[in-house]
Amino acid sequence: MDKFRIIGGRPLKGRVSISGAKNSALPCMAAAILTPEKVTLHNIPYVRDIITQRRLLEDIGATVLTPELRTHQISAAHIEIFEAPYDLVKTMRASVLALGPLLARFGKAKVSLPGGCAIGTRPIDLHLAGFEQLGAEVKLEKGDVVARAPREGRLRGAEINFVKATVTGTENLMMAATLARGRTTLNNAACEPEIVDLAELLNKMGARIRGAGTFSIQIEGVEALGGAEHTIIPDRIETGTFLIAAAITRGDLEIRDCRPEHSSALIAKLREVGVELEELNQSTLRVSGDPELSASDVTTQPHPGFPTDMQAQYMTLMTQAKGRSAIAETVFENRFMHVSELQRMGARINIDGHTATVDGPVQLTGAPVLASDLRASASLVLAGLVAEGETSVRRVYHIDRGYERIEAKLRAVGADIERIRESVTAPLHGQETDAAIA
Ligand code: EPZ
């Protein structure tokens, strides 16, 4: 397994380009199952989860061509298998996004029930309850979810009220409803930008979706969907990670090819703590200066609130801010795995239930640390960039799941970071010991 070796203390200077959003590319790739025609997706990030999703599509019989690295041409004309096996689902929970499209187009689907993961139990009960409301019969058989459309072979539109916001739950049911008979309304739907991006692709394919990005989404079912071409939105979490990387190293960094409006809660919070952050245009942000940072509390919320996927990275920044900050994690039950590693680097953090309090500023010192999940890994890399001396972050396959060549991007703007291969090849499809999370 690879590790990163980082020598801290170098301010990041220059320009970095943001890649496509993993959490939009994954549902958009699954959406290609809804049609026998070709779906072409541009700006796909070159990350491990995409490789896993591609393998899933090919395993069920779709063909995936990549005329260039970040363009995927998917054709699901000859689907022969209607299931996502455990060995794939256990490495990437987003495989459950195959459920809705398979059920909607073929009337049947079998997907291994994803186990828990590093950050929580991650049930999919809201997905399954929604499919039943669309008329499907859903059973659990030996660890697999087996879903079948009603006898007439087609799902029926319904009014679905989510008891809590679920991103992939909203995506799964939105995709399933595109081919159902009649109208489906999703209430208390998740509002993430990735859901809006998926709805845009589905509508290009001939779906009739209104309200994506709001708490209520209406889908008028159609008989069939066709091919389309679509460019994936930039990754707002990669954007946020580089904003914090620039702030924490007191650098001067331009972050390009991003969508500032997708990160408004984070941008507001960073400005509140004193980060000098400019929007140069609608796709470029700039962080510069060497301001004294002040502590500020944050509570993670579904979009448009402060994103849970930025909680760990923000915590690292707060170790450099003056005062005490309380960071409350309300979305997942166990998303403080980075705390013990940050404490090894000298951070002063206390956990009380779902809230971590951070006292700063402290001078972090480099140490060997262990990545546990995708975003925790990012917080440890950020800590290494500002720590005194050498930090080695082990098990960086976690970070490779959601960040495209992060060490190359950081090195290009002045970071002293290198990847050290600890074995010939890290397991490509994540036969890693920790269950997948994203
Ligand atoms: C998506 O996960 C993202 N993954 C996560 O990003 C992100 O952290 C999360 O949304 C929240 O924003 C992808 O989009 C591939 P949820 P998802 O369903 O959809 C509970 C990353 O780092 N819940 O919105 O799985 C659940 O346990 C990853 O890129 C149920 O109880 O998250 C959680 O507490 C990590 N029953 C809360 O809802 C369900 O049926 C929100 O989960 C579904 C969810």
Side-chain angles (χ1 to χ4, degrees):
M1 291 178 220
D2 294 1
K3 68 179 179 183
F4 286 156
R5 189 176 71 187
I6 306 166
I7 306 294
R10 309 269 293 261
L12 302 187
K13 292 183 187 294
R15 299 188 183 94
V16 67
S17 175
I18 297 301
S19 301
K22 159 183 85 83
N23 289 349
S24 176
L26 291 170
C28 287
M29 289 171 75
I33 296 171
L34 288 163
T35 176
E37 296 177 18
K38 186 170 71 178
V39 173
T40 300
L41 300 173
H42 299 288
N43 201 33
I44 297 276
Y46 186 56
V47 298
R48 290 160 59 94
D49 276 5
I50 296 301
I51 295 168
T52 304
Q53 190 78 323
R54 171 178 184 163
R55 181 179 154 198
L56 168 63
L57 290 171
E58 291 173 334
D59 284 357
I60 66 174
T63 54
V64 183
L65 301 177
T66 42
E68 53 184 65
L69 186 63
R70 295 179 185 83
T71 292
H72 284 46
Q73 285 175 347
I74 303 166
S75 165
H78 307 292
I79 298 294
E80 295 131 9
I81 299 174
F82 308 97
E83 60 180 85
Y86 181 63
D87 77 313
L88 267 181
V89 176
K90 80 170 170 34
T91 62
M92 186 185 67
R93 317 174 34 71
S95 317
V96 296
L97 286 165
L99 253 175
L102 286 172
L103 187 56
R105 183 169 162 216
F106 301 103
K108 55 186 174 185
K110 181 178 177 183
V111 173
S112 168
L113 192 62
C117 71
I119 63 175
T121 52
R122 309 290 298 278
I124 59 167
D125 55 316
L126 302 179
H127 301 228
L128 305 184
F131 292 134
E132 287 180 326
Q133 286 186 265
L134 294 177
E137 180 201 53
V138 178
K139 287 191 295 188
L140 283 186
E141 285 174 8
K142 303 190 190 84
D144 290 333
V145 172
V146 180
R148 292 215 176 291
R151 259 187 309 285
E152 69 270 21
R154 201 173 167 197
L155 297 173
R156 295 188 298 269
E159 174 116 16
I160 297 171
N161 302 304
F162 287 109
V163 293
K164 67 191 312 189
T166 161
V167 174
T168 48
T170 301
E171 292 164 346
N172 231 339
L173 289 155
M174 188 165 73
M175 289 191 281
T178 57
L179 295 177
R181 185 188 313 282
R183 165 181 290 200
T184 296
T185 302
L186 303 180
N187 294 319
N188 194 24
C191 308
E192 273 66 6
E194 292 76 28
I195 287 164
V196 177
D197 205 30
L198 174 62
E200 280 180 18
L201 167 63
L202 292 167
N203 283 341
K204 286 179 184 175
M205 294 167 66
R208 295 170 57 199
I209 300 170
R210 286 183 302 111
T214 73
F215 295 116
S216 180
I217 303 175
Q218 294 82 40
I219 305 111
E220 297 294 341
V222 294
E223 294 289 324
L225 292 179
E229 189 155 3
H230 183 70
T231 297
I232 302 294
I233 55 171
D235 193 312
R236 60 193 168 95
I237 307 302
E238 186 189 23
T239 300
T241 304
F242 276 99
L243 287 171
I244 291 181
I248 206 167
T249 59
R250 302 353 182 111
D252 184 349
L253 192 64
E254 260 188 40
I255 289 134
R256 299 183 147 191
D257 306 318
C258 66
R259 292 276 290 273
E261 73 274 20
H262 290 167
S263 300
S264 45
L266 173 73
I267 289 171
K269 179 56 71 173
L270 293 180
R271 283 176 168 151
E272 183 190 327
V273 306
V275 174
E276 291 171 21
L277 201 165
E278 300 165 75
E279 286 185 39
L280 300 183
N281 56 50
Q282 81 276 18
S283 63
T284 310
L285 291 164
R286 181 184 176 203
V287 169
S288 58
D290 181 8
E292 180 183 74
L293 300 177
S294 52
S296 177
D297 298 350
V298 83
T299 298
T300 64
Q301 300 287 352
H303 197 77
F306 188 95
T308 173
D309 291 351
M310 284 302 305
Q311 178 257 106
Q313 300 92 313
Y314 180 76
M315 188 181 291
T316 298
L317 182 67
M318 285 299 101
T319 68
Q320 305 304 300
K322 186 172 179 346
R324 171 169 288 185
S325 54
I327 299 171
E329 172 57 61
T330 68
V331 176
F332 290 110
E333 61 265 35
N334 183 35
R335 205 168 196 179
F336 286 146
M337 308 278 279
H338 44 288
V339 171
S340 53
E341 300 305 302
L342 291 172
Q343 288 168 331
R344 287 168 45 72
M345 298 176 73
R348 288 171 31 216
I349 306 171
N350 283 303
I351 296 178
D352 176 10
H354 292 291
T355 299
T357 50
V358 184
D359 288 310
V362 295
Q363 173 56 60
L364 297 176
T365 50
V369 290
L370 195 57
S372 55
D373 61 76
L374 171 52
R375 306 304 173 183
S377 322
S379 75
L380 300 179
V381 170
L382 293 171
L385 293 176
V386 71
E388 203 169 46
E390 179 179 312
T391 298
S392 65
V393 182
R394 292 185 46 237
R395 289 191 182 176
V396 291
Y397 58 75
H398 286 294
I399 206 165
D400 291 335
R401 298 189 44 189
Y403 289 90
E404 182 176 319
R405 300 168 35 255
I406 191 168
E407 78 278 11
K409 290 191 179 185
L410 286 169
R411 205 171 39 247
V413 290
D416 185 347
I417 178 173
E418 62 174 326
R419 178 186 292 261
I420 296 172
R421 294 206 179 287
E422 283 192 323
S423 64
V424 173
T425 51
L428 184 60
H429 287 294
Q431 284 83 26
E432 55 255 53
T433 48
D434 312 336
I437 59 143

